[in-house]
């Protein structure tokens, strides 16, 4: 089918109106290469990296085209072609994909160094000194996106086993994530608290690995498979009622280990049971029946409730089709009024590392997102993916918008704490 129903939902096509920048155009290119009519050239590789991988086209497609799978294979093809290779690119990919994210102890070490740099005031000093003007524009943009590192990481905030509050109904495992841990360990803490309040005993192993979505989305198929195997070993699916993730982007990848390891006879079956056990936190809470926070006397006294709006992370809504559950959860919190965000499922430009690799397009999408957020008059924007949280936090700060940007689970955890 070439119906084109996906075209109006594609942010890159919307920006350029060029067929090649649309899902249909990209699929035609992939097909031509698969049929041997085209070589995987640099133009092809650039096009695959201009795609956000937001999967809005997958939601729109009436024929059920699995764009997520096509996209991952196309990026792997682009990498194998070697057309994008350069010493600088090889160095960056080698450092991040093959070194930093393959062992989270390294990521935590680098994060601690960065934390020290921030705490000692060196970062503000460097920013104020104007020295950054001497560096290339790309590096300055990259520096501006440096996230604030948390004082304590998940292992220091969360016990290996957290008992359920009241009767134990379920035993679940908690995935702390890779970048999520140093940047949003507080959200992990909140997630564990919320799970415990909902009758779950929560196991949070100290030794965890990156889920590998970064690798799969950047053409490193073999590394993604290696990380999938490690995750299955660290979280044996038969030992838990559910394996919980609170990051939309990770969840979308974590639910497809079965396909990733389909040709591996040792892991194939366990990967399938793993897929069935992985649950996004909002999905799980809705499935088991969320215990709404009790009446909040303080919020009830409030004349005006706090206005909150919700931005759908692409891989939570398009990748996992989870849209109603986070909204349901936000509505359960007294003192909050949820207002609709126009174009809530339109990508904010974060898209993994897209805001680093394609800053112009990412900034255009961010401006559009912020304009919609402002139009709602909300004081809080809730979103359930670390990339989206950072992108909107950075955007709001740059534009001077007084906005609290927060994971929905944090709002729920705060409401439970007020119950006490
Ligand atoms: S994944 Fe997003 S950016 Fe890529 S083709 Fe689909 S809609 Fe367009
Ligand atoms: S990907 Fe789906 S929606 Fe887009 S042109 Fe093909 S069949 Fe139509």
């Amino acid at each position: 089918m070439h119906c084109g129903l996906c075209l109006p939902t594609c942010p890159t096509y919307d920006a350029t109106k060029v067929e090649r920048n649309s899902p249909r155009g990209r699929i035609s290119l992939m097909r031509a290469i698969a049929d041997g009519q085209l070589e995987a050239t640099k133009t092809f590789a650039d096009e695959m990296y201009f795609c956000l991988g937001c999967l809005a086209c997958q939601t729109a497609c009436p024929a059920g085209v699995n764009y997520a799978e096509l996209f991952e294979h196309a990026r792997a093809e682009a990498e194998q072609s070697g057309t994008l290779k350069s010493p600088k690119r090889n160095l960056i990919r080698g450092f991040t994909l093959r070194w930093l994210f393959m062992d989270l102890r390294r990521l935590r070490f680098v994060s601690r160094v960065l934390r020290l740099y921030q705490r000692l005031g060196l970062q503000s000093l460097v920013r104020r000194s104007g020295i950054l003007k001497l560096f290339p524009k790309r590096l300055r943009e990259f520096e501006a996106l440096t996230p604030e590192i948390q004082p304590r990481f998940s292992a220091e905030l969360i016990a290996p086993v957290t008992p359920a509050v009241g009767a134990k109904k379920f035993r679940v495992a908690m995935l702390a994530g890779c970048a999520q841990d140093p940047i949003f360990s507080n959200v992990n803490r909140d997630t564990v608290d919320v799970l415990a309040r909902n009758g779950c005993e929560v196991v949070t192993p100290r030794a965890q690995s990156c889920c590998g979505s970064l690798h799969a989305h950047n053409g490193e198929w073999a590394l993604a498979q290696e990380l999938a195997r490690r995750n299955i070993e660290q979280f044996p699916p038969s030992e838990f009622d559910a394996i919980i993730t609170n990051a939309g982007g990770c969840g979308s990848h974590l639910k497809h280990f079965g396909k990733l390891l389909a040709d591996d006879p040792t892991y194939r079956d366990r990967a399938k049971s793993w897929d069935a056990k992985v649950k996004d936190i909002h999905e799980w809470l809705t499935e088991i029946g969320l215990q709404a926070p009790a009446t909040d006397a303080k919020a009830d006294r409030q004349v005006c409730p706090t206005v909150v709006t919700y931005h759908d992370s692409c891989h939570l809504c398009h990748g996992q089709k989870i849209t109603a559950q986070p909204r349901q959860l936000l509505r359960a919190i007294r003192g909050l009024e949820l207002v609709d965000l126009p174009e809530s499922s339109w990508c904010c430009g974060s898209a993994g590392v897209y805001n680093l690799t394609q800053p112009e397009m990412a900034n255009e999408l961010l401006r559009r997102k912020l304009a919609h957020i402002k139009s709602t008059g909300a004081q809080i924007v809730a979103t359930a993916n670390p990339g989206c949280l950072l992108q909107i936090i950075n955007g709001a700060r740059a534009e001077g918008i007084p906005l609290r940007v927060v994971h929905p689970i944090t709002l729920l955890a705060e409401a439970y704490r007020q119950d006490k």
Side-chain angles (χ1 to χ4, degrees):
M1 279 174 72
H2 301 282
C3 64
L5 284 173
C6 52
L7 268 59
T9 70
C10 174
T12 53
Y13 178 73
D14 182 71
T16 66
K17 299 289 184 286
V18 174
E19 175 73 13
R20 201 184 65 194
N21 303 148
S22 77
R24 188 173 60 186
R26 290 180 178 126
I27 293 169
S28 296
L29 279 174
M30 295 176 199
R31 173 133 209 188
I33 288 171
D35 290 347
Q37 291 162 0
L38 264 186
E39 290 281 305
T41 58
K42 182 168 182 312
T43 312
F44 168 75
D46 285 339
E47 188 52 55
M48 292 310 125
Y49 278 96
F50 187 49
C51 169
L52 292 143
C54 68
L55 309 183
C57 49
Q58 193 165 286
T59 298
C61 177
V65 168
N66 187 341
Y67 188 84
E69 221 173 304
L70 294 173
F71 166 74
E72 286 183 359
H73 283 287
R75 282 208 176 165
E77 185 79 37
E79 289 307 320
Q80 276 157 25
S81 73
T83 52
L84 293 175
K85 277 199 169 125
S86 74
K88 190 171 123 201
R89 191 173 186 273
N90 295 351
L91 189 74
I92 295 172
R93 284 177 67 90
F95 176 70
T96 51
L97 297 176
R98 293 186 202 102
W99 190 77
L100 201 56
F101 286 92
M102 288 308 286
D103 184 339
L104 296 185
R105 285 171 302 184
R106 296 172 191 155
L107 182 69
R108 282 194 289 269
F109 171 74
V110 172
S111 303
R112 284 191 202 290
V113 174
L114 188 56
R115 165 90 187 150
L116 202 64
Y117 170 72
Q118 292 173 342
R119 292 301 298 160
L120 293 175
L122 294 173
Q123 185 172 49
S124 357
L125 196 70
V126 167
R127 284 180 177 175
R128 278 199 314 266
S129 71
I131 199 171
L132 288 167
K133 287 191 191 123
L134 304 174
F135 289 91
K137 184 169 174 268
R138 208 52 180 275
L139 208 69
R140 292 202 305 273
E141 284 169 348
F142 183 78
E143 199 282 336
L145 296 177
T146 318
E148 193 182 324
I149 304 297
Q150 290 285 315
R152 291 193 291 162
F153 301 164
S154 302
E156 296 154 83
L157 295 176
I158 305 166
V161 178
T162 305
V165 175
K168 171 182 155 185
K169 297 182 207 150
F170 306 98
R171 184 170 191 262
V172 304
M174 168 72 195
L175 294 156
C178 54
Q180 166 90 6
D181 182 18
I183 307 170
F184 294 111
S185 52
N186 55 327
V187 177
N188 285 343
R189 170 77 257 176
D190 294 338
T191 307
V192 170
D193 286 354
V194 165
L195 285 165
R197 281 294 292 253
N198 282 272
C200 301
E201 177 187 72
V202 190
V203 180
T204 315
R206 291 279 188 260
Q208 300 208 14
S209 300
C210 168
C211 70
S213 72
L214 195 61
H215 303 79
H217 295 160
N218 286 281
E220 295 288 351
W221 199 248
L223 293 182
Q225 286 174 318
E226 189 183 326
L227 288 167
R229 290 186 196 101
R230 271 198 227 161
N231 270 283
I232 293 171
E233 291 293 345
Q234 287 160 346
F235 296 85
S238 57
E239 292 180 13
F240 304 105
D241 294 306
I243 300 166
I244 306 294
T245 171
N246 56 19
C250 305
S252 180
H253 174 74
L254 286 158
K255 289 178 173 175
H256 297 106
F257 281 3
K259 271 198 179 150
L260 195 61
L261 300 175
D263 297 328
D264 183 332
T266 316
Y267 283 88
R268 193 169 33 214
D269 293 339
R270 273 185 287 164
K272 278 190 205 148
S273 7
W274 163 279
D275 289 358
K277 290 282 171 77
V278 173
K279 300 282 174 190
D280 169 73
I281 178 69
H282 311 88
E283 178 186 24
W284 174 247
L285 291 172
T286 311
E287 240 175 77
I288 63 174
L290 174 77
Q291 285 182 28
T295 305
D296 174 0
K298 194 168 131 236
D300 283 350
R301 281 197 303 272
Q302 275 182 265
V303 183
C304 302
T306 307
V307 178
V308 60
T309 193
Y310 177 72
H311 159 66
D312 289 277
S313 108
C314 294
H315 282 233
L316 194 59
C317 71
H318 300 305
Q320 300 182 62
K321 310 290 179 234
I322 294 174
T323 54
Q325 298 92 324
R327 291 175 167 84
Q328 215 172 307
L329 186 151
L330 289 167
R331 283 196 191 97
I333 303 173
R334 301 291 294 260
L336 288 187
E337 183 195 340
L338 179 66
V339 294
D340 285 340
L341 176 65
E343 292 188 350
S344 66
S345 61
W346 194 261
C347 182
C348 66
S350 166
V353 290
Y354 194 89
N355 54 356
L356 304 176
T357 58
Q358 307 277 348
E360 291 81 17
M361 183 70 204
N363 285 337
E364 202 176 312
L365 291 170
L366 178 58
R367 278 194 293 273
R368 182 168 175 156
K369 182 62 65 184
L370 288 170
H372 283 312
I373 292 172
K374 276 197 274 186
S375 78
T376 65
Q379 293 121 292
I380 303 178
V381 58
T383 188
N385 186 52
C388 308
L389 284 165
L390 276 182
Q391 175 83 337
I392 300 173
I393 288 170
N394 284 333
R397 191 176 52 207
E399 285 199 21
I401 308 169
L403 191 65
R404 185 174 178 212
V405 190
V406 71
H407 196 292
I409 291 299
T410 294
L411 296 172
L412 185 58
E414 287 171 358
Y416 283 137
R417 285 174 199 135
Q418 281 179 12
D419 277 1
K420 285 181 186 162

